[in-house]
Amino acid sequence: MGHLEDRRPVSPERTPSGYFKPGRLLRRALRAPARLYDWHLGWLLGHRFLRLTHRGRRSGRRYRTVLEVVGRDRHSGEYLVMAGFGPKSEWYRNLQANPHAVQIDIGGERFVPQHRLLTQDEALVMLEAYERRNRIVAPIIRRVLAGLIGQPYDGSDTARHTVVRALPMIAFRPGPAA
C-alpha cells in the first residue's frame, strides 16, 4: 500500500513468485491514504492506517509506505500490520535489511518505532480478530486474501494458517525516548 517505489505499469497478474500484483485502478485506490498523509491529513484515517518511513536496502533512500493496521495492542502500544504482498514486499525487505525504521505516523502521533515479527500463533489470533471486527465486509476481505495468497480463502482455521505462513505480520511500537 501507499508509496510504490517501482512506477512501471503492472497488470493484475501473479508475479513469478506467485504473489498478486495490483492493477492500475487498484494501485490508485491503494495510494489514496498516502495522499492524505502527503497533504498532512493523515489524522483523518484515525488508527486504521499508518505511514511507515523506512530506508532502501540498497540505495539508503527514504521511502514512505502506508499500511493498513490489522490490530492494535493497547497494553504494549503495538500496531500490527501485514505484508500483504508477502515477504517480497519492498518495505518488508527493506526492514529486514535495515531493521531501524525511521518513523511511524498514525492518527495524530508520530514516533520512531521498534518492530518485531509476530509468531504464527500471534498472527492467527490477530487475523481472526481482524475478521471478527470487520465481519460486515467479510466477503470482500476473503476475496482480497484469496487474491493475495493465490488460492481460495474461506475464513477457516486451515485457510488462516495458509495466510499467516504466506503473509508475515509485523508489530510496530514506539521505541525508547532518545
Side-chain angles (χ1 to χ4, degrees):
M1 290 184 140
H3 177 79
L4 299 174
E5 292 84 7
D6 186 359
R7 300 262 184 212
R8 290 177 286 159
V10 179
S11 62
E13 320 172 333
R14 302 213 177 278
T15 63
S17 62
Y19 289 99
F20 174 79
K21 290 285 257 188
R24 192 167 165 190
L25 186 60
L26 181 57
R27 285 174 60 162
R28 288 186 120 178
L30 293 175
R31 284 193 192 123
R35 295 291 179 245
L36 288 174
Y37 275 107
D38 290 345
W39 298 330
H40 304 287
L41 297 172
W43 57 270
L44 290 171
L45 300 170
H47 289 92
R48 183 69 182 202
F49 293 92
L50 62 77
R51 181 170 66 179
L52 166 66
T53 303
H54 53 97
R55 294 227 179 260
R57 61 192 171 281
R58 290 184 298 249
S59 69
R61 287 182 48 208
R62 287 169 66 124
Y63 292 99
R64 292 180 168 163
T65 306
V66 175
L67 303 164
E68 181 182 11
V69 174
V70 297
R72 182 175 180 198
D73 184 337
R74 294 184 191 276
H75 298 292
S76 68
E78 290 181 326
Y79 294 96
L80 309 165
V81 300
M82 178 184 286
F85 298 127
K88 300 282 186 197
S89 300
E90 294 295 328
W91 67 267
Y92 181 76
R93 293 173 67 195
N94 287 343
L95 276 183
Q96 286 184 312
N98 183 3
H100 301 290
V102 176
Q103 183 174 290
I104 294 284
D105 295 291
I106 185 163
E109 61 182 306
R110 174 179 287 172
F111 58 88
V112 176
Q114 292 181 329
H115 71 276
R116 67 182 181 88
L117 185 63
L118 269 64
T119 66
Q120 283 195 1
D121 289 340
E122 289 174 308
L124 286 168
V125 169
M126 283 293 110
L127 182 56
E128 185 175 9
Y130 175 76
E131 289 181 76
R132 198 173 37 252
R133 278 191 317 276
N134 295 287
R135 66 181 156 265
I136 293 172
V137 292
I140 295 168
I141 291 170
R142 289 181 178 156
R143 286 184 59 200
V144 169
L145 287 172
L148 292 173
I149 62 173
Q151 62 187 59
Y153 179 81
D154 60 5
S156 67
D157 287 340
T158 302
R160 275 193 207 100
H161 276 85
T162 301
V163 168
V164 300
R165 280 192 302 272
L167 307 175
M169 280 195 181
I170 294 81
F172 293 102
R173 70 179 177 281

